[in-house]
Amino acid sequence: MYIDLGAEKILAAERNEEKIAVEVKSFVAPSATTEFSTALGQFLKYQLALEEEHPGRLLYLAVPWDTYRSFFTLELPKLN
């Protein structure tokens, strides 16, 4: 199931009472920091749209496991 947030699409799902949306990012650019900045900006935009259009739905960011281990365990991403 997809939800449309101003022509952007993210995955949406429900299980029991829990409603979530998942933004999937590939992190294929040479700079993980640049990819992170872009992903964070999009994530915040989607979060605002979800609050307006689908209140109560939690937004998650999905990234490749290698990206998580090599980048998201550093201090910069943990601050956000």
Side-chain angles (χ1 to χ4, degrees):
M1 170 174 165
Y2 288 94
I3 56 177
D4 187 8
L5 298 174
E8 299 285 348
K9 294 184 187 282
I10 59 177
L11 182 64
E14 293 182 30
R15 187 174 79 181
N16 299 329
E17 299 291 317
E18 185 179 45
K19 296 179 180 182
I20 66 168
V22 181
E23 178 187 3
V24 180
K25 292 305 216 183
S26 61
F27 276 75
V28 294
S31 171
T33 303
T34 300
E35 288 274 39
F36 176 68
S37 295
T38 301
L40 181 59
Q42 289 175 332
F43 183 91
L44 294 173
K45 178 180 71 172
Y46 295 152
Q47 192 170 40
L48 288 174
L50 278 173
E51 288 173 5
E52 185 74 25
E53 298 292 322
H54 302 277
R57 191 174 294 271
L58 295 175
L59 181 60
Y60 292 91
L61 176 65
V63 299
W65 179 244
D66 289 343
T67 301
Y68 175 78
R69 283 194 327 238
S70 65
F71 183 76
F72 280 83
T73 55
L74 301 174
E75 286 302 311
L76 173 67
K78 286 182 181 181
L79 295 174
N80 294 293

